[in-house]
Amino acid sequence: MATPKDKVLQMRRGAVMRLFESKFQNPTRITVGSATCENAAGAGAVYDAFAELLSKPGAPKVALGRVGCTGRCDLEPVVSVIAQGHIPVKYVKVTPARAEKIVEQHIRGGKIVDEFTMRHVANLPMTGKVVGVCGGMHCRQGQGIREAFLRGVEEQGLKEQVAVTTSACFGLCERGPNAFVYPDGVLYQKLTPEKVAKIVEKHLKGDRPVAECAWGGKRIANRFLPLYGDEAFFGKQLRLTLRNCGVIDPESLDEYVAVEGYDALARVLTEMSPKQVVDAVVKSGLRGRGGGGFPTGTKWQFAASQKADQKYMVCNADEGDPGAFMDRSTIEGDPHTILEGLMIGGYAIGANQGYVYIRAEYPLAIKRLERAIADARAAGLLGRNILGSKFDFDIELRLGAGAFVCGEETALLKSIEGSRGMPRPRPPFPTTAGLWGKPTVINNVETLANVPVVIIDGPEWFASLGTAKSKGTKVFSLAGKVNNTGLVEVPMGTTLREVVYDVGGGIKGGKAFKAVQTGGPAGGCMPAAALDTPVDYDSLAAAGSIMGSGGMIVMDEDTCMVDVARFFLEFTQDESCGKCTPCREGTKRMLEMLERITKGQGQEGDVEKLLRLADTVKKASLCGLGQAAPNPVISTIKHFRDEYDAHIREKKCPAGVCASLVTYSVIPENCTGCTACARKCPVKCIDGAPKKAHVIDQEQCIRCGQCLAACKFDAILRK
Amino acid sequence: MTAQEEKVTTLAELPEPIARFIDETRDRPNADSYLVAVLQMIQKHFGYLPAGALNTVSQKMQIPAAKVTGVATFYHFFTFVPKGKHTVSVCMGTACYVKGAGILVDRLKDLLGIRQIGHASKDGQFTLEVARCVGACALAPVLIVDDKVYANVRPDELPKILSKYGFKPKAE
């Protein structure tokens, strides 16, 4: 009888055949990014433009497709042209007009439109080959491999054609030191300086890979590398959760199956008992990626050990932290992974019903999940008797309705049950009494996306990544005042500095770094002095912030930290469900104090009062929302006390943000008397004849800042 | 009370697809857990939750009216005031806020003559809302008009964006 493994294998053969016919036999493929943010940047129009151009009579034969988030948000829409035997070319900030030129010049004429490429726009070196030497802990240890490559390249006179960089850990530590040659896709293992010399001569110069040093196996994480030539951004990343994002078409089950999709499920159903699955997850050291960092295996163990007629698996996709978009991007880019993770969890704990609780604000992610569920069901991967294994499992979507507190697990369960989403005290924990009183496991999107990786690549390998207590990788949505905004996945233990400066490319406009905010409204702001903190659960907690779900917002000198604290408090105060007094009243009073301070009405002793109240709210609140709400206040006071003092004592906002404490004045030397500001001023408090320097009447000024926006000559000073 | 509201308060039957959904889910286990989904459908249909429709839901789903109201008032997504023809939402996520979303809100209030968030302009054309993070942080600040997302919005672009939806700026 065919086992589930045989069935998935058969499915894969069919999928690959179909893809080959529809896609890969075309000499050229074009993929257009199509996540929510790409669509906002105009990806839809670009896709339509390509579709129209390529459907014209006599148009070249090209397979056009969509992929999920390509990670490089600031350069969207991103379009890749993958031609057989050529380096994949990525075009950035594509418009319909640019699409026309790409088709004309590149597809028809065979000449890359250089000025639209990522290398050109992002100012990357123009080289033929890139050698990425593994920068992981094991490979780095004094082997001098990178130096050997640099020396060899220099000696052979290849400096113009070959770039040598440091790359993220490939996760092949047992065969290290490793290096990867792009775009040929060759991974070299167990390198010595002698082997390097040979590789430089034969491969980098002679273009013939050295077979005896090359690694033949493949890790799913590495599939990503050949597709991206963007070393600066992706060099330090390691993509496990996002292994398929930006690579496959998220609306195609075939594409997912073709890249080892549902392999983990088949393996689990064929070869492993539920207990073995739980043990594997325990051994991997995987911890909850929603922010809490609770060991996933332990959670599964608790639920598996319960005796009940019904158990549930829930995926928490209620990504409510402002500034976080990891889960949305993961679902939009690779929805089947989440379903596969849920099913494996269901098998492990003995549940046959799963729910995905997702925000109504994510329509595209919802659409793609619905499609994935329908496709999986039609293919016999979901429903009764999955793959002939007698394992039943089904998944239903439940939409949130805009309540941040529903990200808290007990509140989330209430919301799925159709009630007001209010938390309750624990214990009992949901693994004992969850949905409708039955044992329930709630895992975050990213956690579930890691489960197939743990099964396919083995818990030992997974546990070899990261730090002693935090295994694997973490996805961050990097945003704010940083050059490369985007979706980033780095191994645990990477420092904040590496994320902000290497992956993020530093601060926008060359301004000074002030703080990086992690963990959303429950997290904290970390100053420049904390930049060398490694990203893992325990180090971030020790530094006064939290890992959180993965929002990472960079702030520069123009951000007022008191205002940031006020912003987060306004958020948590508004989102407090009102059930327990410390959170309901405490957040409100803290917000009032912060508002007073930002209006210049702060008094000596306010900071101490804030800290005292923060401590009470932290200790006495019922759920995570209230317990974490004071974190932004505490961390900004700890690291940026001087800014609070400036607001309270000098009635000044050093960053020039707090409207009541800012003044606008005209710099007479720069003013040309164009009258633009005077015409915009809503209270008509700007005086001056045309072509003469203007003056702002400070008494009447309402500090709206419209004069600053209107001035074209930098003649308005904001202080 | 507008004509539409009048019609709705005396409405005995819910719109057909919603009534059908309630019938379909009635026999499933834990059927009352579909309450939030039903309210979402009603809001989508009318643009807000009319009081009459809530009573009908209570009767049809056999859930006490107090609970229906409790749920409806708990979630930010639901509103009880009719919306303008177009909904303008400013994302107030951290990244957008740091990049000046607050200024966008103030300008929009000015332009549309709306005093309170969640209310409609006098001509009934626009409702101004602030959205929770829409997750397009890399494009901050973002503005959402109906379903279309505008990225990297500057305050001086607002009149131009709104004019696509029939907004006529006041003469200066």
Side-chain angles (χ1 to χ4, degrees):
Chain A
M1 207 183 83
T3 63
K5 227 174 149 179
D6 300 333
K7 286 189 177 170
V8 166
L9 200 67
Q10 202 184 345
M11 220 182 260
R12 171 154 323 123
R13 284 199 199 106
V16 171
M17 276 304 267
R18 282 191 293 278
L19 289 176
F20 186 80
E21 275 165 19
S22 66
K23 241 175 136 173
F24 296 115
Q25 70 169 6
N26 283 295
T28 312
R29 283 187 291 145
I30 296 180
T31 60
V32 182
S34 71
T36 298
C37 23
E38 304 235 27
N39 288 344
V46 170
Y47 184 90
D48 293 344
F50 273 113
E52 202 200 315
L53 288 165
L54 297 171
S55 66
K56 281 184 184 158
K61 204 161 175 253
V62 171
L64 179 66
R66 287 191 172 95
V67 292
C69 175
T70 45
R72 270 285 214 172
C73 309
D74 53 325
L75 299 176
E76 285 167 353
V78 177
V79 171
S80 311
V81 177
I82 304 155
Q84 262 169 25
H86 294 279
I87 302 174
V89 178
K90 275 185 144 186
Y91 289 110
V92 298
K93 297 191 173 175
V94 180
T95 57
R98 286 185 167 192
E100 209 173 323
K101 189 151 184 205
I102 291 169
V103 170
E104 201 47 49
Q105 193 178 320
H106 186 168
I107 311 292
R108 280 180 192 274
K111 200 169 162 295
I112 296 168
V113 192
D114 197 41
E115 65 266 34
F116 302 159
T117 58
M118 177 170 288
R119 287 191 172 270
H120 189 89
V121 175
N123 222 349
L124 300 172
M126 288 295 294
T127 51
K129 289 191 199 311
V130 178
V131 180
V133 183
C134 177
M137 294 297 268
H138 294 75
C139 295
R140 228 184 309 180
Q141 276 153 6
Q143 318 256 5
I145 297 302
R146 188 167 172 270
E147 289 67 27
F149 268 111
L150 284 170
R151 216 169 33 241
V153 165
E154 174 99 47
E155 281 167 14
Q156 298 282 355
L158 296 169
K159 274 187 86 174
E160 293 294 308
Q161 294 95 46
V162 179
V164 180
T165 65
T166 308
S167 205
C169 178
F170 298 132
L172 296 165
C173 311
E174 73 275 21
R175 288 164 183 268
N178 305 301
F180 187 82
V181 179
Y182 175 85
D184 310 332
V186 180
L187 185 66
Y188 288 109
Q189 55 168 343
K190 293 190 176 167
L191 287 172
T192 60
E194 295 74 50
K195 283 188 186 173
V196 170
K198 202 167 173 186
I199 292 165
V200 172
E201 200 197 321
K202 292 233 164 106
H203 186 171
L204 300 184
K205 195 174 181 198
D207 215 17
R208 286 212 318 276
V210 187
E212 68 264 31
C213 308
W215 154 262
K218 60 182 175 124
R219 293 284 189 192
I220 44 178
N222 292 334
R223 191 186 322 127
F224 196 77
L225 283 164
L227 264 176
Y228 285 83
D230 189 4
E231 269 291 320
F233 185 65
F234 290 105
K236 292 228 167 170
Q237 296 196 40
L238 174 63
R239 299 204 149 200
L240 301 181
T241 310
L242 304 174
R243 60 195 180 279
N244 296 327
C245 284
V247 180
I248 63 166
D249 179 349
E251 297 191 17
S252 159
L253 174 62
D254 274 354
E255 291 213 10
Y256 182 65
V257 170
V259 291
E260 297 183 298
Y262 290 110
D263 221 33
L265 177 73
R267 204 177 294 188
V268 161
L269 293 179
T270 314
E271 299 166 353
M272 295 168 85
S273 68
K275 186 169 180 311
Q276 282 172 319
V277 179
V278 174
D279 289 345
V281 176
V282 170
K283 207 165 160 193
S284 73
L286 175 64
R287 292 169 69 176
R289 298 288 193 254
F294 190 81
T296 307
T298 313
K299 199 185 257 185
W300 287 16
Q301 240 166 9
F302 286 154
S305 66
Q306 296 289 326
K307 296 228 175 334
D309 56 342
Q310 175 77 55
K311 295 179 190 176
Y312 297 103
M313 273 302 285
V314 173
C315 170
N316 183 351
D318 190 46
E319 183 177 53
D321 282 9
F325 52 91
M326 305 79 49
D327 294 348
R328 172 179 64 70
S329 305
T330 309
I331 294 173
E332 284 175 2
D334 192 13
H336 283 284
T337 299
I338 316 301
L339 304 186
E340 191 176 358
L342 261 182
M343 285 187 237
I344 294 172
Y347 178 76
I349 67 161
N352 56 32
Q353 178 66 45
Y355 291 97
V356 180
Y357 186 83
I358 183 166
R359 299 177 76 199
E361 287 92 332
Y362 287 173
L364 186 62
I366 294 168
K367 189 185 128 205
R368 293 206 167 141
L369 266 181
E370 280 171 345
R371 169 90 193 253
I373 290 173
D375 286 351
R377 202 176 278 145
L381 288 160
L382 206 56
R384 300 196 74 81
N385 198 13
I386 293 173
L387 298 167
S389 66
K390 299 205 174 81
F391 170 59
D392 303 336
F393 196 79
D394 216 328
I395 297 175
E396 219 177 284
L397 286 191
R398 287 302 168 98
L399 268 48
F404 177 67
V405 72
C406 289
E408 198 278 339
E409 58 178 18
T410 58
L412 184 147
L413 295 177
K414 279 280 158 227
S415 184
I416 292 184
E417 289 173 6
S419 306
R420 291 164 71 93
M422 285 166 130
R424 61 160 175 81
R426 297 173 299 183
F429 286 91
T431 45
T432 315
L435 269 181
W436 296 290
K438 306 292 183 189
T440 304
V441 163
I442 302 149
N443 285 138
N444 160 270
V445 169
E446 196 183 329
T447 315
L448 289 173
N450 272 305
V451 169
V453 180
V454 168
I455 301 293
I456 292 181
D457 277 338
E460 296 82 9
W461 176 76
F462 191 87
S464 75
L465 301 170
T467 63
K469 283 184 173 168
S470 304
K471 304 300 186 187
T473 59
K474 180 77 192 86
V475 183
F476 289 100
S477 44
L478 191 59
K481 297 184 177 167
V482 62
N483 277 317
N484 308 336
T485 52
L487 199 63
V488 171
E489 182 170 355
V490 290
M492 297 272 191
T494 308
T495 64
L496 286 171
R497 186 184 301 280
E498 286 174 295
V499 177
V500 174
Y501 283 93
D502 294 345
V503 179
I507 310 301
K508 239 184 177 130
K511 295 211 170 177
F513 170 91
K514 187 184 262 183
V516 54
Q517 209 278 345
T518 65
C525 294
M526 291 195 285
L531 267 177
D532 290 308
T533 310
V535 171
D536 65 62
Y537 295 100
D538 313 289
S539 306
L540 286 177
S545 185
I546 60 163
M547 174 80 91
S549 58
M552 193 180 271
I553 293 159
V554 178
M555 297 166 181
D556 68 2
E557 54 192 291
D558 292 340
T559 314
C560 168
M561 301 315 285
V562 184
D563 186 56
V564 166
R566 188 199 58 78
F567 167 78
F568 280 120
L569 249 290
E570 193 178 14
F571 181 86
T572 37
Q573 186 268 134
D574 195 34
E575 291 293 349
S576 171
C577 78
K579 184 169 180 173
C580 73
T581 318
C583 175
R584 184 184 66 236
E585 294 297 325
T587 52
K588 177 97 183 146
R589 300 299 157 234
M590 279 198 284
L591 174 63
E592 283 169 2
M593 272 191 254
L594 287 166
E595 275 174 346
R596 270 209 315 272
I597 296 175
T598 54
K599 280 185 185 146
Q601 297 156 0
Q603 292 162 359
E604 229 22 81
D606 271 0
V607 172
E608 287 69 28
K609 261 191 220 160
L610 264 174
L611 283 174
R612 208 164 56 233
L613 186 51
D615 189 51
T616 310
V617 174
K618 215 174 157 74
K619 283 180 180 151
S621 292
L622 173 62
C623 80
L625 190 147
Q627 287 158 9
N631 286 351
V633 181
I634 297 172
S635 73
T636 49
I637 292 179
K638 184 174 164 201
H639 299 299
F640 302 96
R641 176 73 188 248
D642 53 328
E643 291 195 28
Y644 280 85
D645 288 344
H647 282 76
I648 295 170
R649 293 185 190 148
E650 296 154 38
K651 311 289 177 211
K652 279 232 154 60
C653 175
V657 172
C658 299
S660 325
L661 302 179
V662 167
T663 56
Y664 293 90
S665 54
V666 178
I667 307 168
E669 301 85 74
N670 291 1
C671 183
T672 61
C674 72
T675 73
C677 56
R679 276 180 284 135
K680 279 273 171 191
C681 180
V683 290
K684 303 287 168 218
C685 75
I686 305 180
D687 224 17
K691 306 214 169 133
K692 293 243 169 74
H694 286 41
V695 181
I696 299 175
D697 182 349
Q698 298 298 337
E699 293 283 295
Q700 284 183 41
C701 175
I702 57 164
R703 301 175 174 108
C704 67
Q706 291 199 34
C707 49
L708 182 70
C711 184
K712 293 189 175 71
F713 306 98
D714 293 328
I716 305 282
L717 178 68
R718 177 190 170 100
K719 210 163 64 175
Chain B
M1 195 178 273
T2 66
Q4 193 194 15
E5 246 180 300
E6 178 95 37
K7 206 174 105 205
V8 171
T9 32
T10 55
L11 183 90
E13 283 301 319
L14 292 168
E16 204 274 320
I18 304 175
R20 198 171 56 220
F21 179 79
I22 294 176
D23 288 337
E24 275 169 13
T25 52
R26 183 170 291 131
D27 295 327
R28 292 198 203 164
N30 308 308
D32 53 355
S33 73
Y34 292 98
L35 175 60
V36 178
V38 168
L39 294 180
Q40 273 164 338
M41 291 168 93
I42 295 173
Q43 168 126 336
K44 193 164 182 197
H45 187 269
F46 294 106
Y48 71 110
L49 294 180
L54 289 188
N55 289 334
T56 319
V57 166
S58 162
Q59 284 162 17
K60 278 205 79 134
M61 291 186 79
Q62 287 294 295
I63 298 172
K67 183 176 173 185
V68 175
T69 313
V71 169
T73 50
F74 181 81
Y75 295 98
H76 292 283
F77 183 78
F78 300 122
T79 164
F80 304 91
V81 273
K83 282 202 174 171
K85 196 169 155 205
H86 303 287
T87 304
V88 183
S89 318
V90 181
C91 175
M92 282 294 244
T94 319
C96 289
Y97 184 76
V98 171
K99 287 197 168 177
I103 300 168
L104 292 183
V105 173
D106 290 344
R107 285 288 287 147
L108 282 168
K109 278 185 178 170
D110 251 24
L111 283 170
L112 300 172
I114 295 173
R115 285 218 191 122
Q116 213 184 334
I117 303 291
H119 284 233
S121 57
K122 274 208 185 97
D123 56 7
Q125 288 295 303
F126 295 96
T127 293
L128 179 61
E129 305 236 320
V130 293
R132 293 289 176 227
C133 182
V134 295
C137 313
L139 306 170
V142 300
L143 179 77
I144 306 107
V145 184
D146 299 335
D147 281 331
K148 179 146 174 61
V149 180
Y150 293 87
N152 296 313
V153 179
R154 293 191 314 270
D156 56 354
E157 291 174 323
L158 291 172
K160 204 177 137 204
I161 293 172
L162 292 179
S163 67
K164 292 182 193 165
Y165 302 88
F167 170 75
K168 287 187 191 69
K170 284 174 279 183
E172 292 203 16

